[in-house]
Amino acid sequence: MKYLLVLAVLWIAIWLWRKNRREEMRDAQRERMAKAQQQRPAAPTAVGAPQAMVRCAHCGLHLPASDAIAGPDDAVYCSTAHRQAAVAARG
Ligand SMILES: [Zn+2]
């Protein structure tokens, strides 16, 4: 009967320890996931979304396609001045 009591106490102790450990692991995992979710949206805004780059047909400058100025025959330019210069040079 004495051994049964010791066994019961030991079993309860192990059960409590394991339960505690499981909760700690769950908390750590939740913390890790929260940290990952906080970092994920911050990264793209800090770096910026990738943009297509084009080359100015007049001076060769590389610039984002959204900033480029379209010229005749599918050529793109970095500025209106270079577009006009290229058109004037062509004739
Ligand atoms: Zn240019």
Side-chain angles (χ1 to χ4, degrees):
M1 193 62 197
K2 207 166 91 184
Y3 291 109
L4 208 70
L5 193 72
V6 169
L7 209 73
V9 168
L10 209 73
W11 183 80
I12 287 167
I14 289 169
W15 177 76
L16 278 171
W17 177 71
R18 286 185 66 179
K19 190 183 159 209
N20 208 14
R21 227 178 59 157
R22 228 177 297 149
E23 278 172 6
E24 270 175 25
M25 281 171 75
R26 209 179 306 147
D27 282 351
Q29 198 175 6
R30 208 175 297 152
E31 240 170 67
R32 230 177 295 135
M33 281 173 75
K35 222 177 262 180
Q37 277 181 341
Q38 279 176 352
Q39 284 173 349
R40 221 170 287 154
T45 50
V47 177
Q51 284 187 32
M53 299 296 279
V54 292
R55 191 171 172 271
C56 175
H58 185 71
C59 67
L61 179 82
H62 286 86
L63 67 153
S66 57
D67 293 345
I69 290 149
D73 53 54
D74 291 334
V76 287
Y77 302 95
C78 64
S79 61
T80 50
H82 280 181
R83 179 171 172 259
Q84 283 169 357
V87 168
R90 210 168 286 168

